[in-house]
Amino acid sequence: MYLQLKNIMTDEMCKKLIQIYQNKHRVGRINKQVFEFFTRWNKDVDMWIKDYLNAQVIPLAKEKWNFNKDHFTNIKVREYPTGTFYEPHVDFHHPQPSRIYLSFSIALNSEFEGGEFVLEGDKKFPIKKGNGLLFQGTDVHEVLPITSGQRISIIGHLIAEK
């Protein structure tokens, strides 16, 4: 199950998040397939993002997955330069039966080619600026190689009680 998030973030919000990310909160890390950059938000930025997502995404998610208590966790920016990708994986390996584990990816820019989001091996989503995807974090997903440009996305997880 998944939910496409159309125009979930405005151009202004996307630009603001990229600016914050590039100017203040960039921390690099090597992963198997991609040199990733993660943000270390300050508390004000973290609350602003969580409040926005709570207002915009949670009502859509509750309607689709029918859950009660919830909270966002692990929100960060991920950068994919040309030639990078993320191999097939799941975000939650040992889910508890009483919980729903959702993940999301929202593109903050459109200045890239490739980088389609693939869910369950065959569902391809070319996610562009301000749009995203909310999906079960226990489903296999990947990001195909960026063929030109640089993809910048905000990603995170939502853990909810059934």
Side-chain angles (χ1 to χ4, degrees):
M1 268 172 78
Y2 63 90
L3 180 64
Q4 288 187 281
L5 303 171
K6 302 257 184 195
N7 300 313
I8 200 72
M9 286 193 166
T10 65
D11 284 352
E12 183 178 312
M13 287 190 74
C14 292
K15 286 178 188 175
K16 182 175 181 179
L17 286 171
I18 289 173
Q19 182 180 25
I20 291 168
Y21 162 68
Q22 290 177 333
N23 291 338
K24 298 181 182 176
H25 303 281
R26 201 170 176 177
V27 179
R29 181 176 77 133
I30 299 291
N31 195 4
K32 291 179 186 174
Q33 313 80 24
V34 60
F35 184 69
E36 301 175 305
F37 294 100
F38 295 96
T39 51
R40 300 290 187 244
W41 307 112
N42 67 36
K43 286 184 181 181
D44 291 337
V45 173
D46 191 58
M47 287 309 300
W48 170 66
I49 294 167
K50 286 180 180 176
D51 287 347
Y52 182 81
L53 292 172
N54 282 333
Q56 299 297 314
V57 177
I58 286 184
L60 299 171
K62 283 185 175 183
E63 186 176 319
K64 180 90 174 174
W65 281 277
N66 192 24
F67 57 81
N68 296 315
K69 297 178 186 175
D70 52 72
H71 66 279
F72 281 103
T73 179
N74 211 17
I75 296 172
K76 54 193 164 194
V77 170
R78 181 162 287 152
E79 179 180 336
Y80 294 87
T82 300
T84 60
F85 61 95
Y86 210 112
E87 71 181 13
H89 67 284
V90 297
D91 293 334
F92 299 96
H93 296 277
H94 305 288
Q96 296 177 9
S98 63
R99 292 186 173 174
I100 294 173
Y101 298 86
L102 303 177
S103 297
F104 70 88
S105 179
I106 300 170
L108 298 180
N109 72 329
S110 292
E111 295 80 24
F112 63 92
E113 297 294 325
E116 292 87 357
F117 192 94
V118 180
L119 187 59
E120 299 173 346
D122 62 350
K123 297 178 187 83
K124 287 186 182 180
F125 301 92
I127 300 172
K128 295 295 183 180
K129 187 181 203 177
N131 296 304
L133 193 67
L134 182 66
F135 57 95
Q136 291 181 218
T138 52
D139 289 346
V140 175
H141 56 283
E142 66 183 297
V143 175
L144 297 180
I146 305 299
T147 56
S148 71
Q150 170 182 283
R151 177 182 181 208
I152 303 174
S153 301
I154 186 169
I155 64 165
H157 310 290
L158 171 66
I159 300 173
E161 298 293 329
K162 290 183 180 177

